[in-house]
Amino acid sequence: MAEQDDGKLAAYRNKRDTGKSGEPAGAAAASAGEDGGRFVIQKHDASTLHYDFRLEAGGVLKSWAVPKGPSTDPAQKRFAIMTEDHPLDYADFEGVIPEGEYGGGTVLVWDRGRYDNLRGDKETPQTVEESLDHGLVEVYLHGEKLTGGYALKRIEGGNAEQSKWLLIKMRDAGADARRKPTSSEPKSVSTGRGLDEVAAGAEDH
């Protein structure tokens, strides 16, 4: 199992010097457990501001960069780009990645919670990893800011880094076309800080 786990995080480790960036080292992926684990959405003010949507699956955090962030409006299909798998302890990371390092910029934990794999209840059940292979992931989020069903639908590029997806809110009790959570609720659910405060806190250390 160790070799497989190392392989899952090889891209993560190859892209960054965690001793300089302050990010979790990600020495190995955790053993794969059942679907329905944690999710986290991190607000990341790098070269461009975006939101990193991450689902625990297969012992790692499956990750997408969402430039405009998630929406609660089912009519708003958000473009998402798949990125490298991240270690599970990245879900708690909040701080400043130094300029010049990969992904340099300020990161805060914008939302977090648990999720249910909706495709696990289908007539032909699929794990999240199997759903990724098929290009359609459907989850129900139990977050502090976001609740309800979301679909990730692949539109181009296979199941690999830089493949293109859409993040779509399902029509359920959590849908609200009037709500704009990325603008009305900008702060961290972990520390209550905004991006400027996270950056200032890093400067104080």
Side-chain angles (χ1 to χ4, degrees):
M1 189 70 181
E3 288 185 6
Q4 178 185 354
D5 286 346
D6 276 354
K8 286 185 176 182
L9 292 174
Y12 172 86
R13 293 198 306 273
N14 290 340
K15 287 185 174 186
R16 46 183 57 78
D17 181 342
T18 56
K20 292 180 179 178
S21 72
E23 297 166 284
S31 297
E34 295 182 3
D35 285 334
R38 290 178 292 173
F39 86 90
V40 64
I41 301 171
Q42 282 156 313
K43 189 175 181 179
H44 189 178
D45 190 12
S47 54
T48 57
L49 178 66
H50 64 276
Y51 293 75
D52 292 308
F53 186 96
R54 311 191 197 280
L55 297 173
E56 178 181 351
V60 294
L61 293 173
K62 297 294 182 180
S63 300
W64 293 260
V66 185
K68 292 186 177 181
S71 174
T72 54
D73 182 356
Q76 294 290 328
K77 296 176 173 62
R78 297 300 203 206
F79 180 65
I81 303 171
M82 198 169 198
T83 62
E84 73 275 11
D85 294 342
H86 282 53
L88 296 181
D89 50 0
Y90 207 96
D92 300 316
F93 176 69
E94 188 165 286
V96 177
I97 302 169
E99 186 177 351
E101 296 300 311
Y102 178 77
T106 306
V107 178
L108 62 74
V109 179
W110 184 79
D111 197 16
R112 64 184 175 188
R114 311 289 297 182
Y115 78 88
D116 300 320
N117 171 26
L118 295 177
R119 300 201 66 78
D121 296 329
K122 300 292 184 181
E123 186 174 339
T124 303
Q126 291 179 346
T127 66
V128 170
E129 289 189 290
E130 288 170 338
S131 297
L132 284 165
D133 288 338
H134 285 85
L136 179 63
V137 178
E138 295 177 326
V139 294
Y140 193 100
L141 303 183
H142 303 274
E144 297 182 42
K145 294 179 181 176
L146 301 182
T147 59
Y150 280 83
L152 279 154
K153 184 176 182 179
R154 188 173 62 222
I155 55 174
E156 185 180 319
N159 184 23
E161 272 189 71
Q162 300 300 310
S163 58
K164 297 175 182 179
W165 299 65
L166 294 176
L167 175 65
I168 307 166
K169 177 73 189 80
M170 296 180 183
R171 297 185 184 277
D172 57 21
D176 187 346
R178 297 165 299 176
R179 189 175 164 221
K180 310 294 181 187
T182 53
S183 57
S184 63
E185 302 174 68
K187 295 190 175 182
S188 166
V189 295
S190 177
T191 62
R193 299 183 297 175
L195 286 170
D196 290 347
E197 293 167 296
V198 172
E203 292 171 1
D204 291 340
H205 288 80

